[in-house]
Amino acid sequence: MNTQTTTLTPTLPHAYRTEGFGIPVSPQGPELGNPSKLRQRPVAVVIGSGFGGLAAAIRLSVKGYEVKVFEKLDAPGGRAYVHHQDGFTFDAGPTIITAPFLLEELWALCGKSFAGDVKLVAMDPFYRVRFSDGTWFDYNGDPEHMRAEVARFEPDDLPGYERFLEEAERCKTLGFEGMGDMAFDKVSDLMAAIPDFLRMGAWRSLYSLVAKHMRNDKLRIVMSFHPLLIGGNPFAVTCAYALINSLERTWGVHSAMGGTGAIVKGLVGLLQERGVPLRCNAPVTQIRIENGRACGVELQNGEFVPADIVVSNGDTAWTYKNLVAPQHRRVWTDRKIAQGKYSMGLFVWYFGTSKQYKDVPHHMMVLGPRYKGLLQDIFNKHKLADDFSLYLHRPTATDPSLAPEGCDTFYVLSPVPHLDSGTDWPAFAETYRAAIAESLEASVLPGLRECIVTSKVSTPRDFQDNLWSYKGAGFGLEPLLLQSAWFRPHNRSEDVPGLFVVGASTHPGAGVPGVLMSAKALESVVPHVNI
């Protein structure tokens, strides 16, 4: 099978000593200028080059591993892949950057400056939340502006809003800062965290927490929609995810000039400078296990790549079900995988227009008439409804270079059921896209259908076929309380020694901060390498 290898800039080799890998270590120290005398480094294979995989590869390289990254697609990024079409640039997945210090850490580990490679621009508003009656709430990080917006909808909810902010801050401190980069590797880790789960009242849903403090229905929506950005139903996920609200207020919401793909390019550049090879068009089809331990991977072209540890950035359910033979899975059996509750699917329409819509902000939620009922259809009934709520992304509001001059780049995302809905997406995608276009034209993009000059769609079927996402779910397991932390697939495999997982479908969960922190959690459980 044809493979593509990125051009690499080798780094000066170092001397290493390994422990616990069964690799012979030369008793003599390395001799400068004589590579044959260098001690051998343990090899780490990373499957997938999403944010989690790239971050893991960087951290493992810095720890002393010889790292090799294999990517199924023809370019790095995973869910953060970039489409180029007719002069337009489309980020395929994540568009929102919060907690940018997690990216700055990766650059600092490599002795580099993140700001020197990537320019982030703070968003204001973070989002415009537009309701079906045409009213909207501009959501940002300015306390006075936010109080004014709350008061504009319901002055009597201001005290409750302040109480909600206090609870969100507590969740950030206990949940994000206290647990985010901790690998829940043992039952004792869970037991130690229970007091903090109790302090957060984590048994409650996020929506119930918001409703406890605010009565206005629109304000309840504005303060509870955030879990949808990481694959969760606000009426079901733990209220610990109120931490997202606090994360945004603390560090802001940012977008990268050049799109999110500019961050992927920067991460790949760090790996190139460290001499880490990244092979594209190289799907991994099996994790080979010998003597009860992961010992490497097999590629679709039949090639075997030996390794001391294997790190999967692929969808965890897919990894276990399709890459690990059943006899090696005591915990993540086919039955347990099938019984999990998975996040919604995503229908994404990428399109470019021949004119600009300058009154549309960078991020907008275009809500339909139903909230709870629509989410019940998506998450519980797995039914594709006739109505929808949309996330509209217009990156050219910040970076006009992402479209030809005088044009706009958009993507619009509709949460839909995953593939258990039985929807025949290849047959129905165009009908659904046309309905979204009609809705946008009637609400926020007048004259849209006459000025579309390029178009592309992605459905849950594409998530399954192209990204190898189980059930075509956009974010892996739904972040319910009993599918979070210790109950989520562990960063160190419970089944296979030498196998580790990072990314959206392991701890701590989806979203750019979550997948970056999964790579930090990985560091605490991989075997140590002494340099």
Side-chain angles (χ1 to χ4, degrees):
M1 181 173 182
N2 181 43
T3 61
Q4 171 185 329
T5 304
T6 59
T7 303
L8 305 178
T9 305
T11 56
L12 181 68
H14 295 279
Y16 292 86
R17 180 168 64 84
T18 63
E19 295 179 351
F21 293 96
I23 299 174
V25 178
S26 170
Q28 303 297 323
E31 295 180 9
L32 189 63
N34 188 350
S36 66
K37 297 291 186 178
L38 294 178
R39 295 168 180 163
Q40 190 175 356
R41 293 184 290 164
V43 175
V45 163
V46 177
I47 304 170
S49 64
F51 274 117
L54 295 174
I58 290 168
R59 290 183 178 276
L60 291 172
S61 174
V62 171
K63 283 179 71 72
Y65 285 86
E66 179 185 346
V67 182
K68 302 175 182 181
V69 184
F70 295 89
E71 170 57 51
K72 175 183 182 290
L73 302 178
D74 62 355
R79 285 174 172 80
Y81 187 89
V82 178
H83 299 291
H84 300 280
Q85 184 169 292
D86 299 327
F88 294 81
T89 299
F90 300 103
D91 284 325
T95 61
I96 296 168
I97 301 300
T98 54
F101 69 87
L102 292 169
L103 291 165
E104 292 166 359
E105 280 183 11
L106 296 173
W107 264 256
L109 286 172
C110 300
K112 306 277 287 185
S113 166
F114 174 69
D117 286 343
V118 180
K119 180 181 178 181
L120 291 184
V121 177
M123 299 288 95
D124 189 6
F126 295 169
Y127 326 92
R128 173 168 294 168
V129 182
R130 184 189 186 277
F131 300 97
S132 59
D133 63 3
T135 61
W136 69 76
F137 187 111
D138 275 350
Y139 186 109
N140 72 7
D142 177 60
E144 292 306 316
H145 167 86
M146 288 294 288
R147 291 186 187 101
E149 285 290 88
V150 170
R152 189 162 63 84
F153 281 84
E154 181 51 71
D156 290 344
D157 274 345
L158 271 171
Y161 169 69
E162 298 289 352
R163 293 192 299 271
F164 169 70
L165 294 186
E166 292 174 2
E167 297 219 39
E169 182 69 18
R170 183 183 305 113
C171 291
K172 183 196 75 174
T173 300
L174 299 175
F176 181 80
E177 297 173 359
M179 303 180 193
D181 61 358
M182 180 180 74
F184 279 79
D185 197 47
K186 303 179 292 294
V187 174
S188 58
D189 296 331
L190 171 64
M191 300 305 293
I194 285 177
D196 285 344
F197 278 113
L198 294 175
R199 292 184 186 99
M200 289 186 284
W203 62 88
R204 296 175 294 180
S205 73
L206 177 61
Y207 186 85
S208 68
L209 173 64
V210 173
K212 170 186 171 184
H213 296 297
M214 285 167 272
R215 294 185 177 181
N216 183 274
D217 286 338
K218 291 180 178 178
L219 293 179
R220 288 177 171 182
I221 293 172
V222 168
M223 301 302 162
S224 70
F225 77 85
H226 287 86
L228 290 165
L229 304 177
I230 59 170
N233 178 354
F235 292 90
V237 304
T238 167
C239 69
Y241 287 100
L243 65 85
I244 301 174
N245 178 288
S246 187
L247 278 182
E248 292 180 341
R249 287 186 296 108
T250 302
W251 288 291
V253 170
H254 303 81
S255 292
M257 296 299 287
T260 309
I263 302 176
V264 173
K265 181 179 179 181
L267 291 167
V268 171
L270 294 179
L271 291 175
Q272 289 176 335
E273 292 178 5
R274 298 194 60 80
V276 175
L278 192 162
R279 287 177 59 181
C280 294
N281 292 317
V284 171
T285 54
Q286 182 180 350
I287 297 169
R288 187 180 292 184
I289 299 166
E290 294 180 0
N291 299 318
R293 182 181 182 86
C295 65
V297 300
E298 295 182 14
L299 306 183
Q300 193 172 69
N301 65 0
E303 179 183 351
F304 172 65
V305 183
D308 298 286
I309 65 170
V310 175
V311 179
S312 178
N313 181 217
D315 178 75
T316 303
W318 183 280
T319 295
Y320 280 119
K321 185 173 177 61
N322 295 283
L323 303 186
V324 178
Q327 66 266 28
H328 299 298
R329 292 187 274 120
R330 177 182 54 85
V331 176
W332 290 102
T333 62
D334 287 356
R335 180 180 179 183
K336 180 169 181 177
I337 292 168
Q339 288 176 339
K341 294 184 177 180
Y342 291 85
S343 71
M344 74 285 205
L346 304 174
F347 181 95
V348 190
W349 174 32
Y350 311 92
F351 61 95
T353 59
S354 57
K355 73 173 187 179
Q356 294 179 326
Y357 289 87
K358 295 185 177 181
D359 58 341
V360 175
H362 194 122
H363 303 292
M364 180 187 283
M365 310 299 169
V366 184
L367 304 183
R370 297 190 301 153
Y371 187 54
K372 184 176 183 179
L374 178 60
L375 295 177
Q376 287 177 330
D377 283 346
I378 293 170
F379 285 92
N380 301 333
K381 300 178 182 178
H382 306 305
K383 168 190 172 184
L384 184 64
D386 294 330
D387 59 325
F388 35 69
S389 287
L390 307 170
Y391 160 55
L392 183 64
H393 177 229
R394 178 181 170 246
T396 37
T398 301
D399 186 355
S401 73
L402 299 174
E405 185 175 356
C407 299
D408 260 340
T409 290
F410 289 94
Y411 94 34
V412 60
L413 181 154
S414 175
V416 296
H418 57 57
L419 291 176
D420 278 359
S421 70
T423 304
D424 183 354
W425 281 112
F428 191 65
E430 174 54 26
T431 300
Y432 198 74
R433 184 211 63 80
I436 290 174
E438 181 179 0
S439 176
L440 289 174
E441 185 169 58
S443 55
V444 296
L445 300 178
L448 171 63
R449 286 174 288 186
E450 295 179 358
C451 66
I452 295 171
V453 293
T454 192
S455 178
K456 178 182 178 67
V457 299
S458 177
T459 75
R461 176 72 174 270
D462 296 307
F463 272 75
Q464 174 187 264
D465 296 348
N466 299 334
L467 296 172
W468 284 354
S469 178
Y470 183 65
K471 293 181 183 281
F475 304 91
L477 288 166
E478 187 182 355
L480 304 169
L481 179 59
L482 295 182
Q483 294 187 159
S484 299
W486 187 82
F487 300 102
R488 208 164 178 82
H490 294 186
N491 303 105
R492 170 164 39 194
S493 172
E494 305 97 306
D495 285 319
V496 182
L499 173 61
F500 303 84
V501 292
V502 295
S505 50
T506 184
H507 172 72
V512 175
V515 300
L516 293 176
M517 291 188 82
S518 74
K520 288 190 71 172
L522 172 73
E523 278 194 304
S524 67
V525 291
V526 293
H528 181 64
V529 178
N530 287 329
I531 299 178

